[in-house]
Amino acid sequence: MTRPRRPLIGLAVFAFVIGIGTFLVVINGGHNTHRGAYAGLTLAIGWGFTGTGLYVWRRRPGNNIGPLMTAVGFSGFLKALAFSNDSVVFTIGSLGEVLIYAVLVHLLLSFPSGRLESRLDRLLVAVGYFNTIVIQLAAFVFADPAKEGCALCPANPLLITHSHAARVMSAAQLDIAVALLGAVVAVLYRRWRGGTPSQGRAFAPVVAVGSLTFVVLMTALIAEQADLSSNVAYVLSLALFGSIACLPVAFLLGLLRSRFSQAEAISSLVGQIGGGGGRGALREALAEALGDPSLQVAYWVPDQGAYVDTEGRPMRLDPPPEGKIATTIEHEGRRVAAIVHAAELEERRELVRTVGAAAAMTLRNERLDAELRAKVTELQASRYRIVQAGYEQRRRLERDLHDGAQQRLMALGINLRLVRDLIAREPEQAVELLGASLHELGEATAELRELARGIHPAVLTNRGLEAAIKGLASRSPVPVEVLETPEDRLPSSIESAVYFVVAEALTNAARYARAHRVTVSVVRHNGNVHVEVSDDGVGGADVEHGSGLRGLQDRVAALEGRLELASAAGEGTVLRARIPCG
Amino acid sequence: MAKTVLIVDDHPSFRASARRMLEADGYEVVGEAEDGGAALVAAQQLRPELVLLDVRLPDVDGFEVAKRLLDASGPAPQIVLISSHDSADLGEAVGASGARGFVPKSELSAEAIALLIR
């Protein structure tokens, strides 16, 4: 993120000049009393807010708090223009006189994230702006300052006609303001109580001074309605401006405190994780340290190339969940975990990394734990699938036997009994029937042979992978080129897995991929057997869909191997298997 | 007059052998059906006196077909159930189906059928 340094310096110079200007306007204002005090407070508020605001703006460019504080400062200067003797400047000041309160409401409800998080917040802020801009203007065009008891005020150039409507609208404006301020104080209080302890400590000064300001403002507004003596009104407005002037200090203090509590959070984090506390304790500690109760920890499992949670269940972080950000934590240059935290913490990613680094050792240990749990979960699932696949296979076998060879043998039995009955009486018909029976027997034998090969190919046992794969290739309806096969025999479990990988890939190429050509290679390299079957078909295959590939994956995984499928739509399919082989 | 027969089995070579065997013994095979649905339609049209009915069919099982054949309007055919399983595998379902009886396919002959429908 770039830091808008230049424009900020420009704004600071502008605020300085405008501060001097408004100071002179107030001190020379002909229609007000206590000008010295007001001039001083105007400077304190205007410079206090613009100065602090621009500082925060520079330090946290992504956060709206800086710009909002600066806006409060400038609306303080705007308000002071109402002291002017010049009719135009006076009018501008009078129109913008109460805008500062709406911006203050906006600022306090946005603290500390800089965003209005809830619908209620946005509603309150909208009401504030409506009340201080629209109603203010509407009332002003019907108010003649001279007839409102300010004989020394300059003329109102926007005056349409002096009307009772001005009074009615001003009274409504006051009622709305009092209700709004009450609601804002309640929201602030609830927010302060609802945060984590460290958040609460950072919020406390801002919430306290902010609420005090609004309570004083409410009192002043109610007093204005009650038409109290000018002395009481003066004291109340001094108190009001005084507490507004204190607000920037409260914001600074809040920011300072949040920095101190970061340091404390890290030391408490280190203390907590040192003491153990079992699964999930680290997550709790991190959530407390970073002030994000919804924080999650995702552990990186290099074998699976994926993240898992504390229970070893897979977690998808690409993309991260709605409104969340994942910050990767490394230990000794290797990815260990990711902290999944609220997007509000984005501009404090450094802090997340710092806290993560402090916890990296523990994260590494918990990662191993989570990895183990992930492995157990996967093993349980694959064990279930293997049992299920075995059951499925036996069922299919029974059905194939029943529908195929068994039916043919039954028919053969009937034929032979018929031959026995016919042979004496009608030898010609019997011979014809014997021919049909022999054909039936041939078919039954072929079906049995095919079935037996599906269970375990004898050629593989007797003559090895090369002969078995060439046999598969010659029976494939799609032309197959066998590029390479190992010369030496491999352990039978590995030969069998390789054979079925090739068989499944060839079946899929012919049945689904509409391929024209397939190449097969089986290479032994660096203690692994690498199988690769690629076709030029339509692609789009997926391990998750199709029990054949899933079953192969389990078969390969049972030998500590890995099965990979690359099958983008329109780009053919490549099935690769790597199986460790002593 | 020769007895009319409908053969219900999903395997064509078995149907062919059964037809040869029955015709050699003087039956008249009026139709063949490869599943339960086709069997019910054929029985309605052809009105066979005997239905040779496989228990394991691709759509509904043979017991259900037997029940529907016997429940249908018009003269009910005699039914002989056949299967490549033996009778122990099928249990009491044969008796409950209303069929005349059951012959394992491995023992199927004209005499075995004649014993059941006489």
Side-chain angles (χ1 to χ4, degrees):
Chain A
M1 216 177 282
T2 58
R3 296 187 164 181
R5 198 171 172 166
R6 268 236 185 104
L8 294 188
I9 291 175
L11 270 178
V13 172
F14 182 60
F16 180 76
V17 173
I18 238 174
I20 304 282
T22 43
F23 182 81
L24 293 175
V25 166
V26 175
I27 215 91
N28 291 314
H31 53 93
N32 283 84
T33 50
H34 311 293
R35 293 192 294 256
Y38 283 126
L41 282 169
T42 297
L43 270 194
I45 293 173
W47 280 352
F49 267 100
T50 48
T52 322
L54 290 169
Y55 171 74
V56 174
W57 195 341
R58 215 194 124 203
R59 294 303 300 264
R60 296 191 180 172
N63 192 312
N64 264 340
I65 293 296
L68 278 170
M69 287 185 76
T70 313
V72 171
F74 280 111
S75 25
F77 290 136
L78 180 64
K79 178 183 177 57
L81 296 183
F83 283 77
S84 173
N85 301 322
D86 179 80
S87 140
V88 175
V89 179
F90 164 75
T91 303
I92 295 173
S94 300
L95 282 177
E97 196 170 8
V98 285
L99 178 66
I100 186 171
Y101 303 119
V103 186
L104 269 176
V105 165
H106 190 169
L107 171 65
L108 279 155
L109 289 179
S110 307
F111 187 80
S113 70
R115 275 188 288 267
L116 297 169
E117 307 289 356
S118 75
R119 192 175 275 185
L120 176 64
D121 288 356
R122 288 191 286 274
L123 176 74
L124 291 175
V125 170
V127 169
Y129 284 119
F130 180 80
N131 206 28
T132 56
I133 298 173
V134 180
I135 299 188
Q136 181 78 1
L137 175 66
F140 193 70
V141 296
F142 295 114
D144 183 349
K147 292 183 186 163
E148 293 282 325
C150 181
L152 294 173
C153 287
N156 174 3
L158 297 180
L159 181 68
I160 297 170
T161 172
H162 185 71
S163 153
H164 183 60
R167 288 240 154 163
V168 174
M169 280 191 272
S170 292
Q173 190 184 25
L174 283 179
D175 291 339
I176 295 173
V178 170
L180 175 68
L181 293 169
V184 171
V185 170
V187 167
L188 287 177
Y189 178 74
R190 208 181 55 191
R191 191 158 303 162
W192 172 58
R193 291 292 304 270
T196 65
S198 62
Q199 278 174 335
R201 285 169 30 133
F203 292 172
V206 175
V207 171
V209 182
S211 302
L212 175 70
T213 305
F214 288 153
V215 169
V216 174
L217 178 56
M218 275 161 70
T219 317
L221 291 174
I222 293 166
E224 199 178 320
Q225 275 173 316
D227 249 347
L228 290 177
S229 76
S230 66
N231 269 344
V232 175
Y234 174 59
V235 169
L236 276 174
S237 63
L238 272 192
L240 173 62
F241 293 155
S243 89
I244 296 179
C246 287
L247 259 176
V249 182
F251 273 95
L252 268 188
L253 194 65
L255 291 173
L256 214 60
R257 274 206 176 175
S258 74
R259 183 149 319 157
F260 274 133
S261 62
Q262 279 165 30
E264 283 168 28
I266 291 181
S267 70
S268 93
L269 171 76
V270 172
Q272 276 192 45
I273 59 185
R279 218 186 296 173
L282 179 62
R283 193 211 73 81
E284 299 285 323
L286 285 169
E288 168 63 23
L290 292 169
D292 176 5
S294 70
L295 176 143
Q296 284 176 292
V297 180
Y299 300 95
W300 178 249
V301 183
D303 274 5
Q304 299 185 3
Y307 284 105
V308 299
D309 67 7
T310 1
E311 303 298 325
R313 289 176 299 233
M315 267 178 94
R316 293 210 165 197
L317 297 186
D318 193 23
E322 184 79 19
K324 300 274 182 180
I325 286 179
T327 301
T328 311
I329 304 300
E330 297 190 343
H331 182 67
E332 289 168 355
R334 289 159 109 176
R335 177 156 30 162
V336 175
I339 296 179
V340 185
H341 52 83
E344 279 80 69
L345 285 169
E346 179 170 20
E347 66 225 38
R348 296 167 76 184
R349 260 187 139 153
E350 264 324 299
L351 169 70
V352 176
R353 271 203 196 93
T354 313
V355 170
M361 271 297 280
T362 317
L363 278 172
R364 204 189 58 164
N365 293 339
E366 289 213 357
R367 182 185 73 75
L368 293 176
D369 235 29
E371 191 177 357
L372 198 64
R373 239 168 265 128
K375 212 157 203 168
V376 169
T377 310
E378 173 55 24
L379 275 178
Q380 277 169 344
S382 74
R383 192 171 60 176
Y384 173 77
R385 283 198 304 269
I386 286 171
V387 170
Q388 202 62 21
Y391 167 75
E392 272 302 317
Q393 214 163 26
R394 285 195 301 279
R395 226 169 62 100
R396 210 170 41 235
L397 224 84
E398 190 274 340
R399 202 180 48 228
D400 289 350
L401 274 172
H402 174 269
D403 289 349
Q406 199 175 5
Q407 297 299 323
R408 294 194 185 280
L409 291 174
M410 300 287 176
L412 186 62
I414 296 173
N415 289 357
L416 290 178
R417 275 193 292 280
L418 202 52
V419 168
R420 181 192 60 199
D421 296 345
L422 285 177
I423 201 150
R425 284 185 283 136
E426 306 199 37
E428 265 177 42
Q429 208 185 334
V431 167
E432 193 187 312
L433 201 49
L434 272 176
S437 303
L438 281 172
H439 174 74
E440 203 72 34
L441 182 63
E443 292 286 316
T445 316
E447 276 174 18
L448 281 174
R449 197 189 306 125
E450 193 63 32
L451 216 55
R453 189 162 42 227
I455 299 168
H456 184 83
V459 60
L460 187 61
T461 321
N462 301 334
R463 294 172 50 217
L465 258 182
E466 187 177 357
I469 289 177
K470 284 189 172 154
L472 281 175
S474 70
R475 280 192 300 278
S476 165
V478 181
V480 178
E481 190 181 352
V482 181
L483 301 176
E484 204 171 345
T485 50
E487 285 176 13
D488 300 331
R489 295 297 302 261
L490 303 172
S492 62
S493 57
I494 293 177
E495 282 191 336
S496 168
V498 171
Y499 174 87
F500 283 106
V501 167
V502 175
E504 177 74 20
L506 292 181
T507 306
N508 289 344
R511 200 176 289 169
Y512 309 113
R514 302 202 288 276
H516 299 102
R517 189 170 167 275
V518 189
T519 59
V520 177
S521 88
V522 182
V523 186
R524 193 172 176 173
H525 181 66
N526 275 351
N528 286 307
V529 180
H530 298 267
V531 186
E532 182 174 315
V533 183
S534 55
D535 69 46
D536 58 355
V538 294
D542 183 356
V543 177
E544 301 302 321
H545 302 97
S547 60
L549 284 172
R550 189 84 234 209
L552 274 190
Q553 199 170 46
D554 290 338
R555 199 187 261 261
V556 171
L559 299 170
E560 299 287 313
R562 242 186 121 155
L563 190 75
E564 279 170 21
L565 181 73
S567 185
E571 290 178 21
T573 300
V574 183
L575 184 69
R576 288 190 192 88
R578 175 180 56 76
I579 304 172
C581 175
Chain B
M1 202 182 82
K3 218 173 179 110
T4 55
V5 191
L6 171 67
I7 303 173
V8 185
D9 192 295
D10 59 332
H11 206 279
S13 70
F14 180 83
R15 288 200 302 271
S17 295
R19 171 187 279 266
R20 224 179 268 124
M21 171 200 80
L22 289 166
E23 286 177 348
D25 204 55
Y27 289 91
E28 185 194 350
V29 177
V30 290
E32 296 179 12
E34 59 180 15
D35 58 36
L40 293 169
V41 173
Q44 198 61 237
Q45 285 172 354
L46 306 169
R47 293 281 168 204
E49 293 163 283
L50 173 65
V51 177
L52 200 60
L53 178 59
D54 189 16
V55 169
R56 188 158 155 176
L57 294 169
D59 51 356
V60 277
D61 81 18
F63 300 120
E64 180 62 29
V65 177
K67 212 170 111 260
R68 290 197 212 163
L69 284 174
L70 295 173
D71 287 348
S73 58
Q78 296 180 315
I79 297 171
V80 171
L81 287 165
I82 52 173
S83 170
S84 47
H85 300 281
D86 62 28
S87 57
D89 286 338
L90 301 176
E92 291 164 4
V94 177
S97 67
R100 285 302 172 106
F102 168 78
V103 184
K105 283 185 181 179
S106 54
E107 293 163 20
L108 188 63
S109 64
E111 297 83 55
I113 295 173
L115 278 173
L116 290 174
I117 61 172
R118 195 172 32 190

